């Protein structure tokens, strides 16, 4: 029916339609004045030290089965503390990134699971939840105890949960539910879309004739509407930056809607701060090289 797969190759954008929701992009250099935000640290460099997220190590711990429960609990706590610190620096409730208020389900509530795609940190499956087909996003087993991978997925879930609580946006992917695996790793269920924009873009002269100018403008306007919501309406006093806009992270729904997806590299910064309109230093390691 659709997909929300995430493929983050380090040197090139996702090519497969089934990998549109697992993407962690490649470095992209830039320069300006200091950046003031809190976001993913995976590709965040040269950030003002007082406002940057704490350095996290991608810790993967191996142990006996008898130790796995305590290791899972410790990994969850290790990932939770930096998120609470990030929220505190932004003046948000300490649990903002770690405990979305509603929509929790047990993993076994999702049935008929089929693979859609996999990426560096996550796998995506189609599944049925309460009669609705959804995209189930899970951390790969090797990353279930990674502080960085767990933190990124939790922050994405928190942002999408907040958008849902505010009534949602037609051009932003809808969070259906979220929860934790038996190992303590986060997962989320997202509304499926028909295909990623990357799979629909014309690649030949014949295909380009099927893309009238009006269609391109309509897609651009819908995407601009989603970004305007993130930058100005996400939450009073804050801007939500996606930081990885590319065709494989934009979905096309069956009803004609354009859907912005994959918020794994999101960043929040204070709106109307003293430097809100000033030029800011690009992280140099955010997004995908080609875009």
């Amino acid at each position: 029916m659709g997909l929300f797969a995430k493929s983050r190759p380090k040197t090139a954008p996702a090519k497969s339609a089934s990998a549109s929701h697992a993407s962690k992009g490649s470095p992209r250099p830039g320069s300006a004045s200091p950046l003031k935000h809190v976001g993913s640290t995976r590709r965040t460099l040269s950030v003002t030290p007082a406002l940057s997220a704490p350095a996290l190590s991608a810790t993967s711990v191996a142990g006996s089965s008898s130790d796995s429960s305590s290791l899972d609990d410790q990994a969850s706590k290790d990932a939770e503390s930096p998120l609470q610190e990030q929220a505190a620096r932004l003046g948000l409730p300490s649990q903002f990134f770690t405990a979305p208020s509603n929509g929790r389900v047990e993993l076994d509530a999702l049935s008929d699971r089929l693979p859609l795609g996999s990426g560096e940190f996550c796998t995506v499956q189609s599944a049925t939840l309460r009669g609705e087909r959804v995209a189930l996003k899970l951390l790969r087993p090797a990353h279930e105890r990674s502080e960085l991978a767990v933190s990124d997925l939790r922050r994405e879930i928190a942002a999408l949960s907040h958008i849902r609580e505010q009534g949602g946006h037609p051009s932003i992917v809808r969070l259906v539910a979220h929860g934790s695996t038996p190992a303590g790793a986060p997962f989320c269920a997202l509304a499926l879309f028909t295909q990623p924009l990357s799979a629909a873009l014309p690649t030949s002269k014949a295909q380009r004739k099927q893309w009238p100018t009006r269609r391109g403008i309509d897609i651009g306007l819908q995407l601009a509407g989603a970004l305007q919501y993130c930058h100005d309406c996400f939450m009073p006093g804050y801007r939500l930056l996606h930081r990885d806009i590319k065709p494989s992270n934009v979905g096309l729904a069956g009803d004609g809607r354009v859907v912005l997806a994959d918020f794994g590299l999101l960043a929040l910064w204070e709106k109307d701060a003293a430097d809100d309109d000033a030029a800011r230093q690009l992280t140099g390691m955010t997004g995908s090289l080609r875009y």
Side-chain angles (χ1 to χ4, degrees):
M1 178 178 179
L3 53 107
F4 195 72
K6 194 174 186 182
S7 171
R8 290 186 186 269
K10 298 193 175 187
T11 57
K15 296 180 180 178
S16 169
S18 64
S20 67
H21 186 57
S23 202
K24 300 288 181 197
S26 301
R28 183 177 182 177
S31 61
S33 62
L35 176 69
K36 184 178 182 181
H37 79 277
V38 171
S40 169
T41 58
R42 181 182 306 110
R43 292 177 176 83
T44 301
L45 302 180
S46 303
V47 181
T48 305
L51 290 170
S52 62
L56 301 177
S57 60
T59 306
S60 180
V61 186
S64 66
S65 58
S66 62
D67 294 334
S68 63
S69 177
S70 60
L71 290 173
D72 293 336
D73 290 343
Q74 186 59 48
S76 179
K77 292 177 181 178
D78 289 344
E80 192 167 297
S81 179
L83 290 172
Q84 292 174 343
E85 293 174 8
Q86 291 176 24
R89 282 197 298 279
L90 283 168
L92 297 170
S94 63
Q95 300 300 314
F96 180 83
F97 291 124
T98 59
S101 59
N102 55 41
R104 291 189 64 85
V105 297
E106 297 297 325
L107 184 59
D108 59 13
L110 292 108
S111 60
D112 303 321
R113 290 158 54 179
L114 298 171
L116 281 179
S118 62
E120 182 182 355
F121 289 152
C122 294
T123 63
V124 179
Q125 305 169 358
S126 64
T128 299
L129 177 64
R130 298 187 286 264
E132 178 183 2
R133 290 302 286 177
V134 298
L136 171 61
K137 182 176 179 180
L138 297 152
L139 291 174
R140 296 169 67 94
H143 295 289
E144 286 186 338
R145 295 172 184 156
S146 162
E147 297 170 32
L148 188 55
V150 170
S151 293
D152 277 3
L153 185 52
R154 280 185 167 179
R155 289 166 358 98
E156 181 174 9
I157 291 170
L160 293 177
S161 177
H162 179 77
I163 291 172
R164 181 180 62 182
E165 290 171 5
Q166 302 307 307
H169 189 281
S171 292
I172 295 177
V173 68
R174 175 172 58 90
L175 177 69
V176 178
H178 66 93
S180 298
T181 69
F187 70 83
C188 61
L190 303 150
L192 285 167
F193 48 74
T194 304
Q195 63 179 338
L197 178 59
S198 56
L201 288 173
T203 58
S204 67
K205 184 176 181 180
Q207 290 176 337
R208 284 195 292 273
K209 292 181 179 179
Q210 300 174 14
W211 268 79
T213 302
R214 180 178 297 178
R215 185 181 187 189
I217 292 174
D218 179 59
I219 289 175
L221 289 174
Q222 290 190 58
L223 181 57
L227 293 174
Q228 189 273 335
Y229 174 90
C230 291
H231 296 170
D232 297 331
C233 305
F234 168 72
M235 182 189 298
Y238 299 93
R239 300 187 190 280
L240 171 64
L241 304 184
H242 185 281
R243 304 200 304 171
D244 199 15
I245 303 296
K246 58 184 178 181
S248 59
N249 288 343
V250 177
L252 301 178
D255 58 4
R257 287 180 301 113
V258 172
V259 181
L260 179 60
D262 194 345
F263 284 75
L265 290 180
L266 72 86
L268 291 180
W269 74 39
E270 294 182 72
K271 187 178 179 181
D272 300 325
D275 63 343
D276 190 35
D277 293 325
R280 301 173 187 234
Q281 182 172 341
L282 299 181
T283 63
M285 294 292 281
T286 300
S288 299
L289 181 61
R290 185 174 175 182
Y291 303 102

